[in-house]
Amino acid sequence: MLSSKQLVMLKLTLPAHDNFYAPLIAHPNVVRVVALSGGYPREEANERLTNNNGMIASFSRALSQDLRADQSGEEFTYALDTTIESIYQASIT
């Protein structure tokens, strides 16, 4: 049992059922529930995250999936900016 002063952050795989973690998100000791992309491609991970209110992304693999060593600086920046924006939009639900 946590005391009222103990706070936790949980880092969990995206659930198969929408808002499955809602009771955890609502718990007064939970500061944040962070979603791992679970091996899904970024688009699917974003969609699943959008359907889970109150979770935010921790998508390291999904973040880097469109980045390649042979990209120009402009291509790299565009790919990274586009990816970050899509993950951010999925996180603000």
Side-chain angles (χ1 to χ4, degrees):
M1 182 64 86
L2 296 172
S3 78
S4 62
K5 294 183 183 213
Q6 291 177 302
L7 303 176
V8 297
M9 180 177 78
L10 303 170
K11 194 170 186 176
L12 304 169
T13 299
L14 284 164
H17 302 288
D18 295 350
N19 293 312
F20 182 76
Y21 300 129
L24 294 174
I25 292 167
H27 193 282
N29 294 79
V30 176
V31 176
R32 189 74 69 201
V33 177
V34 180
L36 298 165
S37 61
Y40 297 109
R42 185 183 62 253
E43 294 79 15
E44 185 174 352
N46 283 346
E47 183 179 335
R48 287 175 176 265
L49 181 59
T50 299
N51 295 331
N52 286 280
N53 303 93
M55 292 186 82
I56 61 169
S58 178
F59 291 178
S60 56
R61 188 213 39 82
L63 176 66
S64 63
Q65 81 178 27
D66 291 336
L67 304 178
R68 296 180 315 280
D70 65 343
Q71 289 174 313
S72 68
E74 294 80 22
E75 290 169 327
F76 180 89
T77 299
Y78 177 79
L80 189 57
D81 286 349
T82 302
T83 297
I84 290 170
E85 181 63 22
S86 74
I87 293 170
Y88 167 75
Q89 290 300 322
S91 290
I92 60 173
T93 61

